[in-house]
Structure formats: structure tokens, C-alpha cells
Amino acid sequence: MLKDSVIKRLEEIVGKENVKTSKEELLTYSYDATVPEFMPDAVVFPETAEEISRILKLANAEKFSVVPRGAGTNLSGGVLPLEGGVVLSTARMNRILEIDTDNLVAVVQPGVITAELDAAVGEHGLFYPPDPASGTVSTLGGNIAECSGGPRCLKYGVTRDYVLGLQVVLPTGEIVRTGGRTVKNTTGYDFTRLFIGSEGTIGIVTEITVRLLPKPEAKKTMLAIYDDVVDASQTVSAIIAHGIIPTTLELMDNLLIQCAEDYTHAGLPKDAGALLLIEVDGFRESLDRQVGTILELCEKNNAKEVRMAKDEKEVAILWKARKTVIGAVARVRPSYSLQDITVPRNRLPDIVARIVEISKKYDLPIGVLAHAGDGNLHPLVMFDKRKEEEVERVHAAEEEMCRAALEMGGTLTGEHGVGYVKRTFLTWAYSKDELEMTRRLKEFFDPNGILNPGKIVKWDASRGEQE
């Protein structure tokens, strides 16, 4: 529990109305999009980097933890207050500070919602390519912390590819700037990229400079329908091997098709074994040729039908089905575990087949959802967390999927982070030397271990211990 004197100091820094301590208010900040729950002692809503600096200096002096939080859509337990302490919300830091059309950059605060930035720059004929599925609610600060991707990252890349500069408050309270507005910058160490994907463990981002791109002239969206999920995954490998890089190449299996269709009524074929949602963009003259080649490859890999979206309304409903399917699985079971494994693209059919085997082995429904063009899969394990024996099977299935990905030359996470739920798996992917480098980096930036403790590696600053 925080001392009353600490609560009073927090109120002096951000204003009494911006410090929440009642049980009802704290409950909202005890969980994210994962299953575990941990109650904080207080939630604070700063408005400036200077206020955050004062909060972190107080935390170091009084030895309480601070957990930065955006919209709470995190899928790895990354914003859970494991040790209580203070949750620091960036909700009030939500302004787009500048859209610079001459240099194709925007300067924003961390609480800006991803889709709102894209809409704002769209009025200038520009777009911000990273598009996490939670983009209508997730914030730029959270995207930075996790290095978020999304469907468009196949062609355009992930968050780190669009961040040019940052303002960051370090765990000990110093305010620093990294990078700038230039596209090229090799001056010294790349501190900007060091903070991207660090999951809020070595700094709190308070200002972000991102690069923008001109909107593509045209796009075409198609839905390829299959009887078998393995055929769909083989099509993905064939398209990439043919040298075509679509804007998006998304895969859903039958279980998720049914969930999405029941929720959105988008016209998805509920009897299909799998589907691919494929989109290409660019100059109009080049699209027909790309689409023609993709159609041939779909047919060669046993697609029973390929539908072309007729207009923007149809495109929108297809993407609504894809981006809301995770929530729609509640129609099958009340709880779910969403994994985030990645394999080399040519191993996609192998990992899909393995997930099907694991589903049968543990008698658990597992829906296969994937940014398939990247080899990045999001298997959805559906269960009831009130049944202890079922939860144990879920954990066993999670471990087996992660080990399978590593055996195939893949990774534990492609865009959701290690956070809390995968930190014990890190020893499978990292050598002892890599774990030691991680610990030393955390210790250098955060000697008292106050910022988002227990994420990525569990380390006790007072004893120098780690998992």
C-alpha cells in the first residue's frame, strides 16, 4: 500500500482530480486483454513530461513501482501492476501536435489513438502505415512499447520503421530526446529503436515523431476461400515465393470464420475450411497484373472460390470481420488465450498443421488467425478460466506451440511482446549471455527496478536476481 504522504505528493504533482484510489476506479486498471489481474494502489493521469519526471523521482525516493499504460489492449500482460504501486495512464496526453506535410512527418503525444492519427493525416493525402487490429482504440505510446504491427506490416513494416524521434522520461526521472525529423540518422547509438519494443521497462515515451507516406492511388481487396487450412497456408508461401508482396495477406480458419460471421454478418462462407483476405495497393496500372497472378496461385493451391470486393463498403465489412474476430470468440467459450508466434514464411504450412495436432491433443478449440504473409500467427485457444483442469491444458498447449515455433526457426512473439505471460519462456529463446545483457540493460536504466517491474525478465534490484 502507498503511504498517505505519497498519495498527497502525487495529488500535488498532477492535481487531486487526476489521482484515483477507490477500489471501483482501480479495478479498471487491474487487467489488460490477458487473463491475470493485479490491483494497483493508485492510478495517476499526468499531462506533461515534467509531471511524469516528478512522479518517477518520487517513485525512486519512496521505492514504489510505476506501470505505464495506454489503452490497456496489451496481449502479453505488459500493463499489469504486478507489485501494486502506481499505474501511470497517458490518456490525457492525447494531442496531435503537428502534421508537417513538407517533411512527411507528424508529431504526437503517446495517448493519441492510432486510427485517429491515420484519419487526421488522411485529410492531407497521407497515411500512417502501422495498423494493429486494435487500432481504433490502441494508442501510439502502446504501439511504441510493443513495436506493434498489424495487417499492413507485410508490405509496409511495423512501428519501428516509422518512428524517427522520441521524447522519453527515463526511470530515474531525466527527460531525453532521441532522433529527430530526418529520415537518415546514423549519429551514434540508435537510442530511438532501443526504446521501441522495450515494453515500458526502460522509459516512458511522452512525444513521438513519425514518418508518413502518400496514400496509394488505388487498392483491390479479394477473399480466397478454401476447404482446408493447409491449402490456404501453402498459397501464402506460393505468393511470397513468386515475388509478390501484397499489402495484406490474412488467414482465418473455419472456427474463426464462424465466430466472425455470426458477429458481423459480413457474408463469410461458414462452411469454408479457411480463407485468405488479400489486399494489394499501388498505381492502378499495376494492380490488375498483381491480382491476375494471385488468382492463378490461389487456384493452383486448391482455392474453391476467389471473390473480389465490389466497393469500399464491402471492403470495410470484410475488415470489420477480421479485426473483431478476437472478441467474437466469446460466442464459443468465455475465455481465450491469444498466442503470437512467428515462423519463417516457408514453414507456415508446418506450424498450421502442428497447431491442428495440438488442438486435438489437448481437446481444446484453437482458432488459427494469422498475418500469414509475415509467418506471424495468432492461435486463439478457447476455454473457461473457471475450470482449473482446463486452464492447465491451455498452459500446456501454449508451451507446446511456442516450442514448436522455436524448433522451426521462429520466435516467441512477433508483435505482442514478452510482458508477463511469456517471461518464463524467454530462456528457451535467449542464451545465458543474452539474458545477462537484458538484465544489465534494465539495471543501467532503472537501478531501483521501479518501472514496469516483472516484465520481459523478472529481476529483483535489491538482490540482483532474475528468472
Side-chain angles (χ1 to χ4, degrees), residues 319-465:
W319 278 112
K320 181 180 179 181
R322 162 60 185 87
K323 291 192 173 186
T324 60
V325 68
I326 294 174
V329 300
R331 294 168 176 269
V332 178
R333 295 285 179 88
S335 312
Y336 70 82
S337 166
L338 182 66
Q339 286 299 304
D340 174 41
I341 52 178
T342 304
V343 296
R345 289 161 172 161
N346 67 331
R347 299 303 302 271
L348 186 67
D350 301 325
I351 192 67
V352 168
R354 186 71 174 274
I355 291 168
V356 172
E357 292 173 4
I358 292 170
S359 176
K360 293 176 182 177
K361 177 179 177 180
Y362 292 100
D363 191 25
L364 290 166
I366 303 179
V368 179
L369 180 68
H371 303 310
D374 299 322
N376 183 200
L377 295 97
H378 297 316
L380 272 152
V381 187
M382 302 169 214
F383 66 103
D384 187 339
K385 70 177 183 180
R386 296 168 295 186
K387 298 179 180 179
E388 188 174 333
E389 183 274 334
E390 194 165 271
V391 172
E392 290 176 1
R393 279 187 281 128
V394 171
H395 290 324
E398 290 171 338
E399 292 189 13
E400 195 159 328
M401 285 189 286
C402 287
R403 287 191 181 276
L406 293 174
E407 289 167 4
M408 295 180 191
T411 64
L412 292 173
T413 171
E415 58 186 9
H416 294 169
V418 174
Y420 167 67
V421 300
K422 283 190 174 180
R423 70 184 187 189
T424 58
F425 300 171
L426 202 63
T427 55
W428 306 345
Y430 268 17
S431 67
K432 288 184 179 180
D433 288 339
E434 288 171 311
L435 287 171
E436 176 62 13
M437 284 193 295
T438 303
R439 186 198 67 78
R440 289 170 65 185
L441 182 68
K442 171 67 172 172
E443 183 180 19
F444 173 78
F445 280 98
D446 188 11
N448 292 313
I450 61 100
L451 191 57
N452 210 9
K455 311 301 164 55
I456 304 181
V457 290
K458 183 180 179 181
W459 171 58
D460 187 323
S462 65
R463 297 191 295 271
E465 296 177 352

Side-chain angles (χ1 to χ4, degrees), residues 219-223 248 277-280 291 307-312 314-316 318-319:
K219 68 179 179 181
K220 291 196 175 183
T221 306
M222 62 202 91
L223 194 69
T248 60
L277 181 55
I278 309 169
E279 196 165 85
V280 293
V291 168
R307 302 176 184 173
M308 297 294 301
K310 296 186 289 293
D311 52 37
E312 281 297 320
E314 191 169 334
V315 170
L318 287 174
W319 278 112

Side-chain angles (χ1 to χ4, degrees), residues 265-285:
H265 307 292
L268 303 181
K270 293 177 69 173
D271 61 341
L275 61 78
L276 293 176
L277 181 55
I278 309 169
E279 196 165 85
V280 293
D281 68 14
F283 293 108
R284 287 186 177 85
E285 293 78 6

